[in-house]
Amino acid sequence: MSATLCDVRVEVRPPWPFRLTRRSGMDGLTQVRGGVLQRLVHERLDDAQVPVHLRVAQLSSGHVLIGARAAGREPAARAILRMRRALGVDLDLREFHRRFARDPMIGAAMRANPALRPPGRPDPFEALAWAVTEQLIEYERAAAIQRRLVAALGRRDRESGLRDSPSAAVLAGQAPARLASLDLAPARALTLIRIAREVSAGRVDLASADEAEQECGWRRLRAIAGVGAWTLEVLALTGQGRLDRIPAGDLGLLKFAGRWLSDGDPSARAEEGQVRALFERFGRWQGLAASYVLHAGGWPGFG
């Protein structure tokens, strides 16, 4: 190991039941080895992006141990904070469970799995870019496209063997035909390049924790052809930790709401507005409530 690398470790006591996933991600970025979740991310150090190797384990006490190895304590510490948000380790969900544990729609799923969190990503740009790749196609095909993007344009850490997703700057400089050659539809290739240019130029700050700043960024991105409500809501829920946002256009939710509102008709499909109305009572936890529905239905990406 290089002498310039340092390790930072933080042990967290979750305020609400938490269970670390034991499954690797279909895009190949998150690896679970021997019960330890491993992920490569990048953090700014001076004028460069440096790799940070993250490791997460859940101890027998229930506490969560997060370690980061990087060329400096500051980027390691920042990466740990990002991973804590992505995993939802610090979420206190007592009020949500107190209010809705007997809800006729999701109460049984909540009681069976109180530890559920929405699937989060440590990089909000990655959440946005991946949402674009998942538009209007099967999740398995989208994951295959994501793996190709990572292999062709992503970042690799030689020491750990892990890969990170392509940066906004790299995607901003690609020709549409290059992305289309990876099985991305030409229109979505253009959308991906345009959002990458907005982010890499600093016109949209996806990493801001300020909700007003986040929503300003959503409005700017919404003006780009190919970026709709579902894409931004996936970004908000999985990339920015906004539990108050629901991806109402998700096929799994449209199917669920159709069955629920039709007393069980398996072929029924709801409208997006009907999904929003159905989940409105969950208030600032709408995204978490939707995650329970998608997880219980075995929908890809939520498990």
Side-chain angles (χ1 to χ4, degrees), residues 230-294:
W230 178 85
T231 301
L232 295 176
E233 287 157 355
V234 170
L235 159 66
L237 180 61
T238 68
Q240 296 172 317
R242 293 287 297 269
L243 299 186
D244 61 328
R245 299 291 160 164
I246 176 174
D250 191 282
L251 180 58
L253 294 178
L254 296 174
K255 288 182 175 181
F256 170 82
R259 290 194 304 271
W260 184 266
L261 297 172
S262 66
D263 293 326
D265 180 356
S267 63
R269 298 288 185 275
E271 300 292 332
E272 187 173 319
Q274 292 176 300
V275 174
R276 296 190 190 282
L278 188 60
F279 284 86
E280 185 177 8
R281 69 178 183 275
F282 297 105
R284 61 189 179 95
W285 297 288
Q286 292 181 55
L288 180 56
S291 297
Y292 269 103
V293 166
L294 293 167

Side-chain angles (χ1 to χ4, degrees), residues 121-277:
R121 293 188 175 276
D123 182 354
F125 175 72
E126 177 184 293
L128 175 61
W130 271 202
V132 170
T133 69
E134 293 166 15
Q135 293 173 353
L136 303 176
I137 62 173
E138 300 84 358
Y139 181 76
E140 290 77 6
R141 181 181 172 191
I145 293 171
Q146 292 160 6
R147 291 192 295 271
R148 294 186 192 105
L149 283 167
V150 171
L153 302 170
R155 297 160 284 185
R156 185 176 184 274
D157 177 46
R158 291 184 178 180
E159 181 176 331
S160 66
L162 296 171
R163 292 182 181 271
D164 194 5
S165 54
S167 68
V170 166
L171 288 177
Q174 300 303 308
R178 177 71 174 100
L179 300 185
S181 72
L182 304 176
D183 196 31
L184 195 62
R188 281 188 279 282
L190 279 171
T191 298
L192 188 56
I193 292 167
R194 287 169 179 161
I195 64 171
R197 288 173 178 169
E198 291 296 299
V199 174
S200 64
R203 292 186 289 268
V204 173
D205 180 8
L206 296 179
S208 174
D210 181 77
E211 292 188 357
E213 181 69 24
Q214 292 172 357
E215 291 164 20
C216 179
W218 301 345
R219 289 190 293 272
R220 189 174 186 97
L221 291 168
R222 188 69 174 83
I224 297 173
V227 177
W230 178 85
T231 301
L232 295 176
E233 287 157 355
V234 170
L235 159 66
L237 180 61
T238 68
Q240 296 172 317
R242 293 287 297 269
L243 299 186
D244 61 328
R245 299 291 160 164
I246 176 174
D250 191 282
L251 180 58
L253 294 178
L254 296 174
K255 288 182 175 181
F256 170 82
R259 290 194 304 271
W260 184 266
L261 297 172
S262 66
D263 293 326
D265 180 356
S267 63
R269 298 288 185 275
E271 300 292 332
E272 187 173 319
Q274 292 176 300
V275 174
R276 296 190 190 282

